């Protein structure tokens, strides 16, 4: 959580409940709700997988509920539903991947001036069906990457 978010009190939710029920406590806590209401429904798509990636149909003797939703309110069921939802908006995925790759490449967070480069990279990748290689090429050809200060720790 962000540094200004207080920890939830321990043992406020029964440990034997499915993760969906345990995360409901975060969505009900005002300091946590704004993030958890956005990220939890997307993550529910992978509920059939346990912490080490094994497939499961129940958690603590409760059936797994892998229905989820996107921030825009659309709903889906399971990983295949999440995949379909993502494929409906490839530009959103491409923008997020581009931003994360650029952060890694620059060794710093993005600032408002980097927005134009991100939009340019995504636009150029769109012309080639958002190929990952085009996004990588766009990052290394971008002004923020080419003009970065080497050795900077910022």
């Amino acid at each position: 959580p962000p540094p200004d978010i207080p920890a939830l009190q321990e043992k406020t939710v029964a440990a034997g409940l499915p993760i969906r029920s345990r995360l409901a406590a975060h969505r009900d806590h005002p300091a946590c709700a704004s993030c958890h209401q956005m990220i939890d429904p997307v993550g529910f798509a992978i509920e059939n997988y346990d912490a080490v990636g094994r497939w499961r149909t129940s958690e603590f003797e409760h059936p797994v509920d892998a229905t989820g939703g996107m921030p825009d309110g659309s709903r889906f069921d399971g990983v295949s539903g999440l995949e379909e939802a993502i494929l409906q908006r490839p530009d959103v995925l491409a923008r997020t991947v581009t931003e994360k790759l650029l952060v890694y490449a620059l060794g710093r967070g993005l600032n408002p001036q980097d927005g134009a480069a991100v939009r340019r990279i995504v636009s150029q990748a769109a012309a080639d069906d958002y190929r990952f290689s085009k996004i990588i090429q766009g990052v290394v050809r971008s002004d923020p990457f080419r003009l970065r200060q080497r050795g900077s720790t910022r």
Side-chain angles (χ1 to χ4, degrees), residues 18-148:
I19 190 69
R20 184 182 291 261
S21 299
R22 288 181 277 156
L23 287 173
H26 290 282
R27 290 189 304 280
D28 291 341
H29 192 279
C32 305
S34 63
C35 290
H36 277 272
Q37 288 174 347
M38 296 265 303
I39 63 175
D40 289 354
V42 175
F44 291 146
I46 58 173
E47 278 302 296
N48 284 113
Y49 298 96
D50 69 10
V52 294
R54 291 179 297 215
W55 183 261
R56 63 187 180 167
T57 57
S58 63
E59 180 183 17
F60 300 114
E61 300 179 16
H62 298 278
V64 169
D65 178 2
T67 59
M70 298 299 278
D72 67 4
S74 61
R75 309 293 301 159
F76 57 79
D77 187 20
V79 173
S80 60
L82 174 60
E83 179 182 15
E84 289 175 27
I86 289 171
L87 291 174
Q88 295 297 313
R89 296 285 312 274
D91 56 312
V92 174
L93 177 63
R95 184 180 67 238
T96 302
V97 168
T98 299
E99 289 171 352
K100 300 306 178 190
L101 286 172
L102 196 54
V103 165
Y104 181 76
L106 298 175
R108 63 167 173 79
L110 299 184
N111 58 46
Q113 294 80 10
D114 298 321
V118 170
R119 288 187 297 275
R120 190 174 309 109
I121 293 165
V122 172
S123 175
Q124 290 170 349
D128 202 7
D129 202 25
Y130 299 104
R131 292 182 61 91
F132 187 67
S133 59
K134 291 296 181 181
I135 294 173
I136 296 288
Q137 289 171 3
V139 168
V140 299
R141 291 176 178 158
S142 70
D143 286 345
F145 183 76
R146 289 183 313 105
L147 303 175
R148 72 193 185 286

Side-chain angles (χ1 to χ4, degrees), residues 4-25:
D4 59 333
I5 301 296
L8 288 179
Q9 291 182 357
E10 292 296 319
K11 308 209 188 286
T12 58
V13 179
L17 290 175
I19 190 69
R20 184 182 291 261
S21 299
R22 288 181 277 156
L23 287 173

